[in-house]
Amino acid sequence: MKNRVKFILVMIASVILTACTTSKSTVSKNVNLSKYEYVSIINNDTYRIPAELMEYQIQLFDAVEDSRLQLVGDMRIFELTPSQKEKLLIVKYGVNVGQEETIITVNFIDYLTGRPVVSCRGAYSSLGIAGTSRDIKGAIKRVAKQISKTFPK
């Protein structure tokens, strides 16, 4: 009986803590998102995921491609016309893996002004039960949903 009570209390605590894990998007109030058509993901030493996490980088690219934005390689930006560059967003991302939750943040920045216009956040937590790999996958799915909501097809 004691073990059942402990199990139920752990389950209730898990549900409460998981419910606190929020995914959201923040959009600048002074920006018209409909003008943007192109996106380029920064892939330099600052924003490179370690090799062992490459599968997650692929999923991040997929998440951005699932929006209405057309992906442009960072090495091909110079080929865009000036009017296309006005419609270009640069993506910078961050991954924060903690014991309580995993958070992936994808920031969209206006190419010409350098002004951040959107920040999408995906958070997931299995409270360490399912492992880091599952938490990262869950956070990517949630940030992908935020990106799709923000830039619908």
Side-chain angles (χ1 to χ4, degrees), residues 85-96:
K85 287 178 183 176
E86 288 178 7
K87 302 172 185 176
L88 175 65
L89 289 169
I90 299 296
V91 169
K92 295 181 180 181
Y93 56 85
V95 179
N96 184 5

Side-chain angles (χ1 to χ4, degrees), residues 122-133:
Y124 187 86
S125 176
S126 66
L127 300 172
I129 297 169
T132 303
S133 174

Side-chain angles (χ1 to χ4, degrees), residues 16 20 28-29 35 40 43-44 48 56 70 72 75 99 116 121-122 125 129-130:
I16 291 171
C20 294
S28 172
K29 64 182 179 180
K35 83 172 195 174
S40 183
N43 195 15
N44 60 25
R48 183 158 298 168
Y56 305 116
Q70 183 180 340
V72 176
M75 302 300 283
Q99 285 183 324
R121 177 185 190 266
S125 176
I129 297 169

Side-chain angles (χ1 to χ4, degrees), residues 11-77:
M11 292 304 292
I12 290 171
S14 296
V15 169
I16 291 171
L17 288 173
T18 302
C20 294
T21 302
T22 58
S23 299
K24 65 179 183 171
S25 293
T26 303
V27 180
S28 172
K29 64 182 179 180
N30 298 322
V31 137
N32 176 8
L33 293 183
S34 65
K35 83 172 195 174
Y36 296 104
E37 296 178 18
Y38 306 98
V39 64
S40 183
I41 299 173
I42 296 296
N43 195 15
N44 60 25
D45 290 334
T46 307
Y47 293 98
R48 183 158 298 168
I49 290 179
E52 63 270 14
L53 299 177
M54 184 57 74
E55 71 178 280
Y56 305 116
Q57 186 172 21
I58 291 168
Q59 292 172 358
L60 276 172
F61 272 72
D62 288 347
V64 172
E65 282 185 314
D66 285 343
S67 72
R68 67 173 167 75
L69 301 171
Q70 183 180 340
L71 190 61
V72 176
D74 58 343
M75 302 300 283
R76 304 202 68 174
I77 291 174

